[in-house]
Amino acid sequence: MNTKAYLTLLRPANLITAIADIFAGMAIVGFLWNGFTPIFLILSTLCLYGGGVVLNDYFDSSIDRIERPERPIPSGKVSPRSALAFGSFLLGLGLIFAFLYQIQSGWIAASITILVLTYNRFAKHNSIFGPIVMGMCRGGNLILGMSLATVIQLDQLSLAILPVLYIAAITMISRGEVHGGKKEPLVFAGILYLTVFVLQLSISYHLGNFFLTLPFVLFHSGVILPPLFFAFQKPIGPLIGKAVKMGVISLIILNASFAASFGFIFISIFILCLLPLSLVLAKYFSVT
């Protein structure tokens, strides 16, 4: 078995961002960590995300043979059948881990699984539904972290709209990372990013944690807006790819901002410490 090829399918740098989602969701509901069972939520998200990206490459293998022949499946390092089995196994394992925590978490994981399959099989290449469904997958992951609590309040659930908007923006501009793209999606992505920043600051102000959150939001904007601006100036594939890469990895900062908004500054710092690890992994394994 080609271990590196399978790791490449898993997108290790991206997996770190999924862990950050869980910690952010936990912070939103109060971060009451009792015993070792919350580890099941982390294991669940790792498997759900990993299974999703593996199946993404499985369903895209025919396109990748033309556009990205170096990827594990089109290059022959991983057979399509093995990728299908591997991705399906991971999704199933993600469901099991979630149900082991509590029934509510299991049903949330089941919803994420349905969204993942819907995106990979049907919605991905639709310019409208693709970004929305992909964003809903990430919003569901945040809610999975919230299922640390037995009861999730409606106002807490509504916060999942922020990662939906954020990921929708990234998914929208990622369509141009191979052959280049138009400027309009980049402008719209910038508007969505700014909307997310404003909403996070508004939430933190309402909760009395504005000045705890502001440094994280400023740092986040400083990380993702320059690559987006350079891609806007020259919307060629490599520059758009860099904007997409930084958008994905800086989800960690988005989640750190969530934790700060709810007053968990030490949790937000812990989440932020995941960023260097994700950046190191991104040097060795593809992010997109």
Side-chain angles (χ1 to χ4, degrees):
M1 183 178 73
N2 191 324
T3 303
K4 185 175 181 180
Y6 278 89
L7 284 174
T8 300
L9 281 176
L10 285 172
R11 312 283 205 282
N14 304 38
L15 289 178
I16 304 300
T17 71
I19 297 173
D21 288 343
I22 297 299
F23 278 99
M26 289 176 173
I28 289 170
V29 296
F31 207 85
L32 299 173
W33 185 300
N34 294 315
F36 292 99
T37 52
I39 293 175
F40 286 132
L41 295 177
I42 297 172
L43 293 174
S44 177
T45 194
L46 287 172
C47 292
L48 292 174
Y49 194 98
V53 293
V54 169
L55 292 179
N56 174 76
D57 277 18
Y58 169 76
F59 285 111
D60 273 1
S61 58
S62 59
I63 297 174
D64 287 342
R65 287 190 185 95
I66 300 171
E67 296 184 346
R68 295 173 177 178
E70 74 283 354
R71 282 188 167 179
I73 297 176
S75 66
K77 295 175 182 176
V78 178
S79 70
R81 181 178 296 180
S82 296
L84 177 60
F86 185 41
S88 301
F89 171 75
L90 287 173
L91 286 181
L93 202 56
L95 285 170
I96 291 172
F97 282 130
F99 275 110
L100 284 174
Y101 182 70
Q102 63 171 330
I103 296 297
Q104 177 180 248
S105 303
W107 289 118
I108 293 170
S111 300
I112 295 171
T113 300
I114 292 171
L115 288 169
V116 164
L117 295 174
T118 300
Y119 174 76
N120 284 332
R121 183 63 182 88
F122 302 107
K124 181 174 184 179
H125 300 291
N126 186 289
S127 59
I128 297 175
F129 293 109
I132 293 173
V133 175
M134 185 71 257
M136 290 174 67
C137 291
R138 186 64 76 154
N141 208 38
L142 184 69
I143 295 173
L144 183 63
M146 294 182 201
S147 71
L148 176 76
T150 304
V151 178
I152 307 174
Q153 303 297 326
L154 183 60
D155 58 339
Q156 295 169 337
L157 283 172
S158 67
L159 297 177
I161 190 63
L162 272 69
V164 171
L165 295 175
Y166 185 87
I167 288 297
I170 296 173
T171 306
M172 184 172 54
I173 64 175
S174 68
R175 300 176 184 279
E177 64 179 325
V178 176
H179 302 296
K182 298 180 180 179
K183 291 187 175 184
E184 288 80 3
L186 296 165
V187 172
F188 191 54
I191 293 172
L192 289 178
Y193 285 157
L194 292 174
T195 300
V196 169
F197 294 152
V198 169
L199 288 174
Q200 275 201 320
L201 290 174
S202 298
I203 293 165
S204 66
Y205 179 80
H206 177 72
L207 295 172
N209 296 311
F210 179 82
F211 290 105
L212 286 179
T213 310
L214 182 60
F216 292 95
V217 173
L218 291 176
F219 178 46
H220 193 182
S221 62
V223 169
I224 65 169
L225 293 181
L228 187 70
F229 177 71
F230 293 139
F232 172 78
Q233 286 186 313
K234 193 175 183 180
I236 59 175
L239 291 181
I240 292 177
K242 288 181 180 179
V244 172
K245 176 180 176 180
M246 292 313 301
V248 171
I249 292 176
S250 64
L251 269 160
I252 292 171
I253 314 174
L254 178 75
N255 286 309
S257 301
F258 268 127
S261 295
F262 283 81
F264 290 93
I265 187 64
F266 291 110
I267 301 302
S268 63
I269 292 172
F270 171 79
I271 294 172
L272 195 61
C273 287
L274 297 174
L275 183 62
L277 176 59
S278 185
L279 288 170
V280 169
L281 289 171
K283 292 182 179 181
Y284 300 98
F285 300 98
S286 174
V287 172
T288 61

